[in-house]
Amino acid sequence: MHVEAGHGILEDMERRRVGILGATGMVGQRFIQLLNNHPWFEIAWLAASERSEGKTYGEACRWKLDTPMPARIAAMTVMPNTPEAQPAGELPIPKIIFAALDADVARELEPKFAAAGCAVVSNSSAFRMVEDVPLVVPEVNADHLALIERQSWRRPSANGLPGGYIVTNPNCSAIGLVLALKPLEERFGIESLFVSTMQAVSGAGYPGVASLDILGNVVPFIKNEEEKMQEEVGKLLGSLADGKVALLDAKVSAHCNRVAVEDGHTECVSIKLRTKASREQVLAAWAEFVPLAGQRLPSAPEQPVEFDAAVDRPQPRLDRMRGHGMAATVGRLRECNLLDWKFVVVSHNTIRGAAGAAVLNAEVLARLGKLEMKSARPDAVLV
Ligand code: NAP
């Protein structure tokens, strides 16, 4: 089949059937928006809680995005949230499952799908820090995907076919941050960093933070968020050796705040580098950071870190959609009186920070041959 991708890329490839777990939530809706008409993937199965099961997607979902719910998806039935027991006459569940579940639910359900032979591409925090589960942003640490071969579900069955696995993407604030940090870590090393976030309300799911709590207000607490950011940055920027990730040896301190912004997280960062770098060297590190160039991945932005020189940018309303919502925008680079440099980064929390990140992870897995359960190549690397 010859298809044209949304971003002008031509591919000869059968579209693979995929499923979405948690399809009715904020991230689930983004999955539908991003996967509808995706050149490599076709939405074939949707599931959510038992409250939604058996309804059409149109009945079950309170659609909150500014593009219409696709008619084909609206007519689909929300299936039971299990890899077994599909209603009579339905096709078996797809081998690729995008998951957008709360952590408690993910902890119970994701292993069941991996054990049933599915590639589970997850947004949840439930397994991010587990030793053999890759926590991946493809521009930052695609090599960590090799960890899936260590997962118990992956062992070949009696017929020799490799089994399923879980791959995760980070917390929505950690993603924008590590995109800005990776080029600096590569060239200069990072000794310590301080980050203070202003996080959009859509990051809390739907209905999320009550309007009476957030309107005209800032809430200086997001449960577990500071801990997640600190530990995830260490794993994402860590190095893989002997089948384990050695965490980045840097001090990280995060303050996380919820603000009355609909979409797009803003982060103020101060950083101390191991080797001194000039302003020009920092800007060059960001500008020359194109680790996925030539891979022709439909969701990868051409320039993952975009610098804006304007004195008052980046701003979430103006900059969150750069790179189709997949780029991180940096700006306000200036010397820091406490550490070396300080800057601001903005990224879209439900696209780059969630569903788009997972779709890009799946595209890399496709390129590596790790979605071909019959012929996966454990030693494949992205070159
Ligand atoms: P959400 O809007 O609250 O949606 C939760 C989804 O999970 C809904 O589809 C819900 O279905 C479903 N669900 C609840 N219980 C279930 C069960 N027992 N079995 C199957 N499905 C069940 O949450 P969200 O914002 O989309 O977040 C989903 C996950 O992504 C969370 O782990 C979150 O931390 C993570 N994440 C979110 C963001 C963000 O910016 N929002 C960013 C990064 C990561 P019903 O409609 O039937 O209740």
Side-chain angles (χ1 to χ4, degrees):
M1 180 175 160
H2 195 60
V3 287
E4 187 165 358
H7 311 297
I9 297 165
L10 291 174
E11 287 287 340
D12 284 306
M13 196 183 284
E14 280 299 325
R15 289 170 86 202
R16 294 173 166 86
R17 296 172 70 242
V18 302
I20 304 172
L21 252 179
T24 50
M26 292 305 297
V27 176
Q29 293 177 32
R30 281 285 178 204
F31 272 128
I32 284 166
Q33 189 186 51
L34 297 175
L35 290 168
N36 191 44
N37 299 325
H38 190 284
W40 297 0
F41 304 124
E42 179 176 20
I43 301 169
W45 181 88
L46 303 171
S49 76
E50 285 166 10
R51 293 180 290 278
S52 303
E53 184 184 325
K55 297 179 182 167
T56 63
Y57 185 78
E59 289 164 347
C61 177
R62 298 180 68 158
W63 187 257
K64 294 288 164 194
L65 301 183
D66 57 7
T67 54
M69 181 190 289
R72 180 181 79 84
I73 303 295
M76 286 174 70
T77 302
V78 180
M79 294 291 163
N81 60 8
T82 153
E84 309 96 25
Q86 297 306 303
E90 294 291 337
L91 290 170
I93 57 159
K95 286 285 183 190
I96 306 160
I97 299 291
F98 292 99
L101 300 168
D102 285 335
D104 289 346
V105 182
R107 207 164 282 117
E108 182 198 333
L109 292 188
E110 289 180 358
K112 290 187 185 170
F113 282 82
C118 299
V120 179
V121 187
S122 165
N123 263 283
S124 153
S125 61
F127 296 100
R128 285 180 194 150
M129 294 307 291
V130 172
E131 198 172 79
D132 61 7
V133 174
L135 172 65
V136 171
V137 175
E139 293 93 334
V140 172
N141 64 336
D143 59 318
H144 292 197
L145 287 170
L147 286 174
I148 63 177
E149 302 306 335
R150 305 183 81 83
Q151 296 179 15
S152 56
W153 308 294
R154 187 71 173 149
R155 289 198 194 105
S157 55
N159 59 12
L161 305 182
Y165 54 84
I166 297 177
V167 166
T168 61
N169 57 253
N171 172 280
C172 41
S173 300
I175 295 187
L177 179 63
V178 294
L179 281 170
L181 293 179
K182 177 69 177 179
L184 308 183
E185 162 59 14
E186 267 176 354
R187 294 198 180 185
F188 318 115
I190 295 172
E191 194 171 310
S192 56
L193 83 105
F194 166 90
V195 54
S196 184
T197 70
M198 288 155 273
Q199 299 185 211
V201 283
S202 61
Y206 187 82
V209 190
S211 57
L212 276 181
D213 287 335
I214 198 67
L215 285 177
N217 203 13
V218 170
V219 180
F221 175 70
I222 305 174
K223 195 175 175 198
N224 297 332
E225 196 81 349
E226 293 174 352
E227 295 80 359
K228 279 190 224 169
M229 273 192 87
Q230 290 166 182
E231 62 186 11
E232 290 177 17
V233 166
K235 185 167 179 181
L236 288 156
L237 296 178
S239 46
L240 184 71
D242 301 327
K244 285 187 182 163
V245 176
L247 303 183
L248 179 75
D249 180 18
K251 283 189 184 152
V252 181
S253 177
H255 292 236
C256 294
N257 306 288
R258 186 74 71 197
V259 297
V261 167
E262 195 184 339
D263 284 317
H265 289 353
T266 305
E267 308 178 46
C268 293
V269 186
S270 282
I271 185 167
K272 185 166 179 56
L273 302 171
R274 292 197 179 275
T275 308
K276 292 284 175 217
S278 67
R279 176 184 172 83
E280 290 66 35
Q281 287 174 313
V282 170
L283 292 178
W286 283 331
E288 291 161 17
F289 182 65
V290 284
L292 299 179
Q295 296 293 331
R296 299 192 309 138
L297 303 170
S299 302
E302 270 177 39
Q303 186 72 44
V305 183
E306 292 190 19
F307 176 73
D308 193 315
V311 289
D312 59 353
R313 302 286 279 273
Q315 298 178 18
R317 203 170 56 203
L318 302 180
D319 296 308
R320 63 191 170 209
M321 285 311 294
R322 290 198 193 209
H324 302 280
M326 290 295 284
T329 309
V330 289
R332 301 217 63 226
L333 177 67
R334 60 230 193 267
E335 287 186 19
C336 174
N337 289 338
L338 289 177
L339 304 177
D340 291 333
W341 289 102
K342 55 185 175 182
F343 58 86
V344 180
V345 56
V346 162
S347 60
H348 198 301
N349 55 296
T350 59
I351 302 181
R352 180 38 115 159
V359 171
L360 185 55
N361 277 349
E363 290 170 4
V364 174
L365 289 164
R367 274 275 184 258
L368 295 174
K370 290 184 187 290
L371 297 181
E372 311 298 337
M373 299 308 183
K374 290 179 184 169
S375 58
R377 292 167 297 138
D379 55 340
V381 287
L382 201 63
V383 288

